[in-house]
Amino acid sequence: METKQSAVKEVTILLALYNGAINIEAQLQSFIRQSHMHWSLIISDDGSTDTGPDIIRQFCSDHPAHKITLIEGPKQGFVKNFLSLIDAADADTDFIALSDQDD
């Protein structure tokens, strides 16, 4: 039986999105190109009016091997958006990485 200590560590990426369609595709592709493949992604859309959420939904369809979740943000600015992402993360995750839509 494998213990949590010896298991491959999971990274949960928390991505804040707001009208970031211009940059989001490159950001998402950078996750796919990482050498560490044990990651999940939670995206909080804070009320985008561009195609960013549609790009996220297509990314979810294109990469079913990863757990990717799109949630509705609080629509109260980037700080509250990131705080809502932290609340949405699984308490048992090994690592959390914060990511803005244009990092």
Side-chain angles (χ1 to χ4, degrees):
M1 183 172 163
E2 194 172 79
T3 66
K4 182 87 167 169
Q5 290 178 340
S6 65
V8 175
K9 301 296 185 185
E10 179 79 19
V11 177
T12 300
I13 304 166
L14 305 178
L15 174 61
L17 178 67
Y18 178 72
N19 289 337
I22 193 167
N23 296 310
I24 198 64
E25 184 65 35
Q27 181 73 355
L28 296 170
Q29 291 306 313
S30 74
F31 300 149
I32 294 298
R33 291 191 303 267
Q34 297 300 309
S35 59
H36 183 82
M37 295 304 297
H38 300 279
W39 55 265
S40 60
L41 175 61
I42 304 172
I43 305 104
S44 178
D45 177 42
D46 211 30
S48 295
T49 58
D50 65 3
T51 60
D54 294 330
I55 294 169
I56 298 292
R57 284 188 274 280
Q58 184 62 52
F59 184 77
C60 290
S61 295
D62 292 345
H63 300 282
H66 291 284
K67 181 181 176 190
I68 303 168
T69 307
L70 176 61
I71 62 174
E72 186 175 327
K75 299 179 181 89
Q76 297 178 2
F78 73 95
V79 172
K80 296 236 177 163
N81 200 18
F82 273 115
L83 290 173
S84 72
L85 278 162
I86 292 169
D87 285 342
D90 184 349
D92 291 335
T93 191
D94 295 307
F95 299 101
I96 289 178
L98 300 177
S99 179
D100 200 9
Q101 65 199 14
D102 57 359
D103 285 350

